[in-house]
Amino acid sequence: MNKALKITLTIILFAVIFAAVIIGIKFAYDTYINSSYPLKYEEEVYSASDKYNIPKELIYGVIKTESNFDPEAVSAADARGLMQLTQPTFEWLNTYYADDNYDANNADLLFDPKINIDYGTLCLSVLLERYNNDLDTAICAYNAGLGNVDEWLTMKEYSSDGKTIDTTPFGETNEYLKRVKSNRDKYAELYFNK
């Protein structure tokens, strides 16, 4: 075998190996993304997004942050399901805002992904309307409750203008806000801003 043929075969071999490594890396990355940022419950998320005019990436950001897609998740505060709603929040939304009425005394309904995503998205919609479409304030209220946020809005150390939250006294809520927005941004980048 002449020297030129050996060089050509060596170059081809390295190109094949390089291509295989690149394909392997891409496969591993895609597997990581699909497991870390899945598009589960698409029908329910898309339906709720359309119904309440809430971006899909925000709904996914809340689900990822709240339950990491575990429909059976229960918090220490007895918040349930994918978007972690409590029975009193479910009852409040069901009584005053919902088109479909469910037995709000049956908190186990919150384990149903369709109901949970619908009511969680309705809650986001109500909060955004209440707080003049200020996302940070609405997300803080989703985590800490209306009463806390309304009180913080009256305090200069938490709200410079009395309308939007600058920070909260709850480290958990401040961290929650960052996580929801980070997860929302990742979903937007991966799936919705293409």
Side-chain angles (χ1 to χ4, degrees):
M1 188 178 305
N2 69 31
K3 188 174 183 177
L5 182 60
K6 283 183 181 179
I7 292 172
T8 301
L9 290 174
T10 302
I11 291 172
I12 291 171
L13 178 64
F14 280 120
V16 168
I17 291 171
F18 181 74
V21 168
I22 295 299
I23 290 168
I25 290 170
K26 174 144 178 39
F27 177 77
Y29 176 76
D30 289 347
T31 301
Y32 163 76
I33 291 300
N34 289 335
S35 65
S36 297
Y37 297 95
L39 281 179
K40 293 182 177 182
Y41 308 104
E42 283 183 88
E43 183 178 324
E44 293 85 352
V45 169
Y46 282 56
S47 174
S49 173
D50 290 343
K51 184 175 179 181
Y52 300 111
N53 197 30
I54 299 295
K56 294 176 228 18
E57 59 267 25
L58 177 57
I59 299 168
Y60 276 114
V62 170
I63 293 171
K64 172 80 175 154
T65 303
E66 287 285 1
S67 69
N68 200 26
F69 296 90
D70 178 2
E72 300 295 321
V74 179
S75 75
D78 201 33
R80 296 169 178 226
L82 293 167
M83 295 183 78
Q84 291 289 280
L85 297 170
T86 62
Q87 191 275 329
T89 300
F90 181 44
E91 184 176 339
W92 170 66
L93 291 166
N94 196 49
T95 302
Y96 296 102
Y97 299 102
D99 293 334
D100 301 320
N101 288 311
Y102 295 98
D103 178 5
N105 293 316
N106 184 359
D108 285 344
L109 290 173
L110 293 171
F111 293 123
D112 180 315
K114 180 183 183 318
I115 294 171
N116 193 283
I117 291 170
D118 188 67
Y119 276 77
T121 306
L122 171 60
C123 188
L124 288 170
S125 176
V126 168
L127 294 173
L128 282 164
E129 184 176 331
R130 179 182 179 108
Y131 296 113
N132 301 308
N133 287 315
D134 184 71
L135 182 63
D136 288 8
T137 305
I139 290 173
C140 287
Y142 193 96
N143 176 259
L146 298 168
N148 285 322
V149 168
D150 288 348
E151 181 181 342
W152 298 335
L153 289 172
T154 68
M155 305 167 81
K156 289 289 182 198
E157 61 263 44
Y158 306 121
S159 175
S160 57
D161 62 6
K163 296 176 183 173
T164 58
I165 291 291
D166 301 324
T167 189
T168 80
F170 294 175
E172 175 193 331
T173 299
N174 294 329
E175 185 58 32
Y176 176 83
L177 174 62
K178 288 179 198 169
R179 287 181 57 218
V180 167
K181 289 170 64 175
S182 173
N183 286 327
R184 175 210 56 190
D185 293 349
K186 192 66 173 176
Y187 270 95
E189 172 193 334
L190 290 171
Y191 302 110
F192 302 111
N193 287 343
K194 290 186 175 186

